[in-house]
Amino acid sequence: MAKDPVRVLVTGAAGQIGYALLPMIARGIMLGPEQPVILHMLDIPPAADALNGVKMELVDAAFPLLKGVVATTDAAEACAGVNIAVMVGGFPRKEGMERKDVMSKNVSIYKFQASALESNAAPNCKVLVVANPANTNALILKEFAPSISEKNITCMTRLDHNRALGQISERLNCPVSDVKNVIIWGNHSSTQYPDVSHATVKTSSGEKPVSDLVKDNEWLKGEFIKTVQQRGAAIIKARKLSSALSAASSACDHIRNWVLGTPENTWVSMGVYSNGSYEIPAGLMYSFPVTSRNGEWTIVQGLAIDEFSRKKMDLTAEELKEEKALAYSCLS
Ligand code: NAX
């Protein structure tokens, strides 16, 4: 029997990530090749014409899984009955703007959209915040949508996770699908800590630790970390535009692994509401290694943390505390 369609909201749908993400969802990359979808697209009034153009293209592409498209600038209409919400829309930092001004704009956007989701989304709606500052936008969304379970509000660090897999694969000249269990700790910002202490690579003689194969701790603790942390800036420099196809693909990975589960003995990185695991202050939206079963993620427990990792994990937590304080100061 055909499955009922899942309603997927994409905010900022007329933007460049939206343009890459929407066809991926309609092709089944996010929820699988058997799952019909109805796309809900939200953008702001100045982007209404562009949004309509995207809707026309989605119709023209005749995706077999796509059972409907809602394109609107009305948040309540966009959120009506959605099962999954991918929050890509936000206010970008413009030249000369203070950090606080950008935060203030995003706090008001996420406060408003939290209420729209809370009042209109389907029960148990799962939310992924992509727009920057992603962790803190997700925290504000959580604050102002108290009836949505905190387990259902996440932010995206999967692109950073995938970038780390990509760097190891390039360095070892092995397929990226053979590398697993890297971790992104903390903020989706340049303080994030890409950690390969527990990562492995599939070889003809079984799984081997990345560090045993790379055999260059200086690189792993230096250039590798920096490259992943600065990859977004490198893409902007090269493309004159920020990452879009990799961000869209990673958003699909995030939701797919959350809803359909993570593979056996494999974890992924997700920004989730900290419960104090690994001595990270509770109440921060922090990226942890997680596994997922039956649509519920769980933080991987019991990983050994050495002194080098501890310092880096605390540093990015410190930045998130500051962002949280700044965001709350914008509310008062
Ligand atoms: P674009 O500027 O191309 O698109 C953003 C879209 O959001 C625009 O169409 C804009 O009109 C819309 N928008 C603005 N305010 C809105 C609101 N209140 N409601 C609905 N829509 C609204 O940016 P794009 O390159 O698509 O990036 C989108 C966001 O993703 C940015 O905040 C960016 O910083 C963030 N990123 C996050 C990443 C992550 O890993 N978490 C990686 C990629 C990306 O940099």
Side-chain angles (χ1 to χ4, degrees), residues 7 11-12 34 45 56 73 91 100 106 113-114 141 158 183 187 190 201 239 291 302 305 331:
R7 292 180 182 271
T11 72
E34 309 290 325
M56 292 190 310
T73 56
F91 196 91
K100 178 153 186 177
N106 283 298
Q113 292 186 350
L141 198 152
R158 183 60 176 270
I183 303 168
N187 200 0
S190 57
V201 177
R239 234 170 65 84
T291 54
I305 305 296
L331 286 167

Side-chain angles (χ1 to χ4, degrees), residues 122-136:
N124 208 28
C125 172
K126 288 179 159 56
V127 183
L128 164 62
V129 178
V130 173
N132 282 315
N135 300 54
T136 301

